[in-house]
Amino acid sequence: MYQSLLVARYLTSRVIPFIAVAAVALCVALVIVVVSVMSGFLDMVRNSGRTLVGDVVLSWDIVGIPDYPELIAELEALPEVEAASPVIETFGLLRMPYRMPGGGNKVETVQVWGVEPESLARVVDFRDLLYWKKPTAEEAGAMMPDDPRLEEAYDAEADAMAMRKPDGSPGIVLGIEISPFNRRQKDGTYRTMGRFSGEQDAGHWMPAEPTGVVLTLVPVSESGSIDVEKKKPFKIVNEFRTGVFQIDSQRVLIPLAEAQEMLRLAPAPLYARDGELDDGGRPKRLGTSPARATTILVKAAEGYTPNQARDAVEFAYADWTRRAFDDQAKLVKPPPGAFAMTWEERLQDLIGPVEKERGLMQVLFSLVYIVCAGLVLAIFWSIVQEKTRDIGILRAVGAGRTGILSIFLVYGLVIGVLGSLGGFGLSTLIVGKINEIHELIGQPAPAARWSAIYPRSAASIVAAIVATVRGSFLSSLLWIIGALLLGGLGFILSQHRGVLIWDPSVYYFSRIPNHVDVRNALFTMGFATLFSVIGAAVPAARAADTDPIRSLRYE
Amino acid sequence: MSERGDVILEGSGLSKTYRLGRVDVPVLRDASLAVRSGEWVAVLGASGSGKSTLLHLLGGLDRPDRGGAGEVRFLGARIDRASAWALDAYRNRDVGFVFQFYHLLPELTVLQNATIPTMVGFRWLRGQGPASRRKARTLLESLGLGHRLAHRPAELSGGERQRVAIARALANDPRVLLADEPTGNLDAKTGEGILDALAERHRAGLTVVMVTHDPAIAARADRRVRLVDGRLVEVPA
């Protein structure tokens, strides 16, 4: 077809189409880079959140679920479930071991999880979450020389998994952000710093703190009334890091049995409430109220989605509850209202805002498509203007209006496709190297680099003078612009002292996500191509409407 | 098919008015011309007399004034009322245009320029196929351009460009060639060569309607008509 021949010739014989392709490519690259980085952060939040929740969460607050070991055994027998672990969730006050300048110890409000470390480790990667453990060779290289983890006999992992000190005192694992001594560094690692001095101070290394913390919990009865608070000292056995600030700055882990004890959820004698007395004249003991857990974390079996596991858990729980109600031997019945959620539903308060942010960015950056269409429209308008005579010639040899229209639509399509592919390539390059680029910007420019630019700027000035003498105004202007750009670049580089735009000591993640979100990239490329064709449509219609007589009349 | 000597292209009662600002400028007023098959007709006239307009109406590039009685017929069929598609096909297959300023596509080579009407004619398989290229090559070689096939129009002389334009006009074997001042932009010697090329095709049976302001060039035609005040009058031999 003559259209393809002309499009190929128009595309390769001029500079303007390349400007259009470059404009589309830049627009596409901009959107893909932003959306990929945002999607990467969303994935990070989701994965980090999931690491401490498992796939499915079954919960009944305050009074908890009795006979949970029986329930867990039934859940683990399901094909959809690989493992389950009991947890007690509550809130408490944590008195920190250090004093504030005004006197008194710092007290933090914390979210308390009573856990069984061994069973928890079967549901989530608990060991991986522990921060203070024997480092890998690579990690060891980045540590301060006096870091206690470098010692040969260092072992904080065993205490964390036992959740008690070798002397038997109960242990607590804190979120890494709870202690103000833990300062995140620019490389994303933590160093224990003096609270007020800001200096490296291994003496404040939290897990080595000998005095420990005091945890205060308030038991709440089934009817909602508050009992006398329970205080208990805990020794810090380790810290954990999930990667989600809200979790790492608020949550502490204690042994499940301790939590049950403090919240009155441990096994206890059960007495008759109707005033019935035993032979000794005391309230008649009916039996023992079983231990309870407020939450069951469930890991889905291989090949099952969290949604499938949730449905199976809900069904199994309903069945178990029904049987428990029929079982006269069970004195305490499980709550029929306990409900299961997938990790995604449970963490919606964390994931939701990031998802919305990404959506908002996508919508805002979609304006770039309109810029894309506008650029193509402007460029094509001038191309059609320039090609008026060609249009007349083609009409004279029998080309129809639709034929002329299709030349410029195909032209727009080709520019959109080439621009999109170029943008995808550019964004892949940028996103793949985003951390390297970021690090490069974060360092001062080497003097050799910027000082070499000045002679080139000076050479451009000389070339501009030569061009002026020869009477070429355009060449002279281009050389002057080149000299100014080079001089400006040299000056900026000489003044550049290193700017970390994404400072890991401020933001949570230590690395910027560096994977292109292919699904969104394809979406972006499709839209950029579509808008390129839309941008080309107006000039194309104008071309089709061109009167051949007018365009052929004058040379 | 028409026999040699039958009327092949006829314009009768043609009127065309252009609007310049607020003023209507009548260019053609009841102009009539009947061209016989195999005939070479020269249309003489001063600059601005409406010669090119007449050619455009006959070639289906333009239509006579609405409401006028004018009509254009090719082989007896009205083309002034034909659909846009039919007019496109008419311009592509039945007539060929040669312009004073050559009007070649600057990005295409000589061979591509001469092949473009075949490609436009929706003959997809033949359009880009070797057959159409071979035909265009033969045409160009017969016009003395065999050594210029891969050149761009900007690399050719005026005479060469006009010969490429002739090859392009003849690409689809039209019955009628409409030439608008084909030598108007050339020196006398080169112009003579172009007229020789047209004469050769005319001898082979091609009908030619040529517009010129030069009586000497018009003398090469079988018949001459002159546009005076928008009307055509026969010029005695």
Side-chain angles (χ1 to χ4, degrees):
Chain A
M1 285 172 76
Y2 70 101
Q3 286 97 334
S4 52
L5 172 69
L6 286 169
V7 167
R9 300 308 310 172
Y10 287 171
L11 202 64
T12 52
S13 60
R14 327 192 64 77
V15 178
I16 290 182
F18 289 102
I19 296 172
V21 169
V24 175
L26 285 175
C27 291
V28 168
L30 178 70
V31 177
I32 293 179
V33 168
V34 170
V35 174
S36 290
V37 170
M38 287 299 292
S39 297
F41 280 123
L42 183 61
D43 287 345
M44 278 181 171
V45 170
R46 290 157 75 106
N47 291 335
S48 302
R50 193 181 189 179
T51 52
L52 206 58
V53 174
D55 294 314
V56 176
V57 181
L58 177 72
S59 59
W60 185 249
D61 291 343
I62 315 290
V63 291
I65 302 165
D67 296 316
Y68 63 85
E70 190 185 309
L71 173 64
I72 286 175
E74 290 207 8
L75 293 180
E76 288 186 341
L78 295 172
E80 292 89 349
V81 173
E82 187 179 317
S85 178
V87 172
I88 285 184
E89 286 184 82
T90 187
F91 291 91
L93 297 171
L94 190 70
R95 195 177 74 189
M96 303 302 281
Y98 49 83
R99 289 187 168 276
M100 299 301 290
N105 284 42
K106 178 90 166 67
V107 177
E108 305 278 358
T109 310
V110 289
Q111 186 192 31
V112 182
W113 269 31
V115 298
E116 286 179 353
E118 291 299 337
S119 82
L120 183 65
R122 292 194 294 123
V123 176
V124 299
D125 296 330
F126 182 54
R127 284 174 199 274
D128 287 349
L129 298 177
L130 294 173
Y131 191 77
W132 302 102
K133 60 190 171 198
K134 202 79 179 153
T136 61
E138 191 187 344
E139 288 167 344
M143 286 178 178
M144 299 291 283
D146 58 346
D147 195 308
R149 287 176 290 175
L150 294 172
E151 291 168 15
E152 196 64 38
Y154 182 81
D155 184 12
E157 205 175 323
D159 288 355
M161 292 310 291
M163 268 208 181
R164 54 183 71 248
K165 284 284 186 187
D167 62 7
S169 51
I172 188 168
V173 180
L174 306 182
I176 190 86
E177 292 283 347
I178 290 177
S179 164
F181 297 108
N182 292 333
R183 296 282 177 82
R184 196 140 37 95
Q185 306 299 302
K186 287 192 173 180
D187 59 1
T189 63
Y190 285 83
R191 301 261 161 81
T192 46
M193 312 297 277
R195 171 93 171 116
F196 307 110
S197 66
E199 298 293 317
Q200 177 74 30
D201 188 351
H204 282 290
W205 184 60
M206 183 65 88
E209 177 59 54
T211 53
V213 295
V214 176
L215 181 66
T216 304
L217 297 182
V218 180
V220 180
S221 75
E222 199 168 343
S223 61
S225 59
I226 294 170
D227 206 336
V228 179
E229 79 276 9
K230 299 277 184 183
K231 285 187 184 177
K232 191 158 194 173
F234 286 87
K235 290 287 171 62
I236 301 166
V237 288
N238 213 317
E239 286 169 298
F240 71 86
R241 180 188 177 192
T242 62
V244 180
F245 184 78
Q246 285 95 324
I247 294 174
D248 292 354
S249 63
Q250 291 174 10
R251 190 171 295 173
V252 299
L253 309 178
I254 60 170
L256 180 72
E258 301 292 343
Q260 286 170 331
E261 194 66 45
M262 292 173 79
L263 292 171
R264 295 192 166 181
L265 296 173
L270 190 67
Y271 295 99
R273 286 183 177 180
D274 53 4
E276 193 180 348
L277 302 175
D278 62 8
D279 297 342
R282 287 168 301 205
K284 186 179 179 185
R285 180 172 174 169
L286 301 174
T288 302
S289 170
R292 299 155 189 252
T294 59
T295 305
I296 309 290
L297 303 184
V298 177
K299 182 180 186 181
E302 189 82 24
Y304 290 96
T305 63
N307 282 350
Q308 289 171 318
R310 178 200 57 200
D311 294 345
V313 166
E314 265 183 347
F315 187 78
Y317 182 76
D319 186 48
W320 180 69
T321 310
R322 196 168 47 250
R323 281 186 279 117
F325 270 88
D326 294 343
D327 187 351
Q328 297 303 319
K330 280 191 190 296
L331 296 173
V332 180
K333 308 296 183 190
F339 56 94
M341 286 193 283
T342 63
W343 65 275
E344 226 169 340
E345 292 164 344
R346 174 68 182 250
L347 297 173
Q348 198 50 44
D349 58 333
L350 287 178
I351 297 168
V354 184
E355 266 178 344
K356 282 195 174 64
E357 254 174 60
R358 186 182 67 166
L360 190 67
M361 293 296 262
Q362 238 165 342
V363 171
L364 287 176
F365 275 85
S366 295
L367 293 176
V368 166
Y369 300 133
I370 297 167
V371 175
C372 214
L375 281 168
V376 172
L377 192 148
I379 290 169
F380 270 54
W381 193 270
S382 75
I383 289 174
V384 167
Q385 187 83 22
E386 197 187 333
K387 291 291 166 200
T388 304
R389 205 187 56 167
D390 285 17
I391 294 164
I393 295 166
L394 289 167
R395 295 299 308 278
V397 298
R401 285 167 191 266
T402 49
I404 301 295
L405 183 82
S406 65
I407 290 175
F408 290 96
L409 287 181
V410 171
Y411 200 4
L413 179 72
V414 171
I415 281 180
V417 168
L418 289 179
S420 294
L421 290 174
F424 181 73
L426 184 64
S427 62
T428 307
L429 208 68
I430 293 172
V431 174
K433 295 280 176 195
I434 197 160
N435 285 295
E436 286 80 353
I437 294 168
H438 187 241
E439 277 164 27
L440 199 69
I441 297 169
Q443 293 160 2
R449 189 166 293 169
W450 55 261
S451 57
I453 293 174
Y454 288 130
R456 288 172 194 167
S457 177
S460 297
I461 292 169
V462 173
I465 293 167
V466 171
T468 309
V469 171
R470 286 181 180 171
S472 171
F473 186 71
L474 180 64
S475 294
S476 174
L477 187 70
L478 290 174
W479 281 116
I480 288 170
I481 291 170
L484 288 173
L485 286 175
L486 284 169
L489 181 67
F491 178 74
I492 290 168
L493 288 178
S494 69
Q495 298 300 309
H496 181 67
R497 296 284 173 267
V499 180
L500 266 187
I501 300 161
W502 188 265
D503 188 346
S505 65
V506 178
Y507 296 96
Y508 202 72
F509 300 108
S510 55
R511 302 276 292 173
I512 303 172
N514 61 347
H515 291 290
V516 170
D517 182 344
V518 176
R519 200 178 70 88
N520 270 307
L522 290 175
F523 187 75
T524 304
M525 290 164 72
F527 263 86
T529 306
L530 176 69
F531 274 79
S532 297
V533 175
I534 291 171
V538 176
R542 181 172 167 249
D545 285 347
T546 301
D547 179 3
I549 306 296
R550 270 177 199 277
S551 50
L552 291 173
R553 184 161 293 159
Y554 302 105
E555 176 66 340
Chain B
M1 291 291 290
S2 66
E3 292 294 318
R4 194 173 177 98
D6 290 350
V7 172
I8 185 169
L9 181 62
E10 184 179 13
S12 56
L14 297 175
S15 297
K16 188 71 187 174
T17 305
Y18 288 112
R19 194 167 180 82
L20 290 177
R22 293 181 178 179
V23 183
D24 286 335
V25 180
V27 180
L28 295 178
R29 294 170 185 166
D30 196 23
S32 298
L33 174 70
V35 182
R36 295 183 181 283
S37 181
E39 193 179 22
W40 182 345
V41 179
V43 182
L44 282 154
S47 183
S49 61
K51 305 187 295 293
S52 296
T53 302
L54 175 68
L55 216 57
H56 293 153
L57 293 179
L58 293 175
L61 264 178
D62 204 354
R63 294 180 198 256
D65 282 343
R66 279 184 195 172
E71 57 182 58
V72 180
R73 288 179 184 272
F74 177 74
L75 292 174
R78 282 189 73 163
I79 59 161
D80 57 292
R81 286 187 181 172
S83 67
W85 292 91
L87 268 185
D88 293 338
Y90 168 70
R91 288 196 306 272
N92 182 249
R93 285 198 302 265
D94 300 322
V95 295
F97 278 98
V98 174
F99 301 99
Q100 179 181 356
F101 295 106
Y102 331 123
H103 289 331
L104 300 175
L105 296 170
E107 273 92 358
L108 303 189
T109 63
V110 165
L111 185 60
Q112 286 168 336
N113 262 290
T115 320
I116 207 86
T118 324
M119 296 173 81
V120 167
F122 300 103
R123 297 167 200 178
W124 293 19
L125 291 176
R126 286 177 55 203
Q128 292 179 71
S132 68
R133 275 204 297 275
R134 207 163 35 242
K135 186 182 170 196
R137 187 190 296 266
T138 309
L139 254 173
L140 288 163
E141 282 169 353
S142 71
L143 288 161
L145 291 167
H147 62 299
R148 294 291 210 180
L149 299 181
H151 286 73
R152 298 277 166 83
E155 298 162 345
L156 305 180
S157 68
E160 287 173 324
R161 289 184 203 186
Q162 196 59 298
R163 278 182 278 164
V164 177
I166 292 171
R168 181 182 64 193
L170 300 176
N172 280 337
D173 294 324
R175 301 287 304 275
V176 180
L177 185 81
L178 303 169
D180 189 355
E181 301 270 14
T183 60
N185 211 31
L186 303 171
D187 60 68
K189 191 181 170 199
T190 312
E192 201 62 31
I194 294 299
L195 292 174
D196 289 345
L198 291 182
E200 192 184 329
R201 262 69 195 174
H202 169 59
R203 277 195 296 277
L206 181 69
T207 307
V208 180
V209 180
M210 182 180 72
V211 157
T212 181
H213 65 278
D214 187 343
I217 292 168
R220 300 282 296 258
D222 302 332
R223 183 159 67 98
R224 286 157 294 282
V225 291
R226 183 179 291 278
L227 255 174
V228 181
D229 294 332
R231 291 186 179 82
L232 282 162
V233 290
E234 288 284 336
V235 177

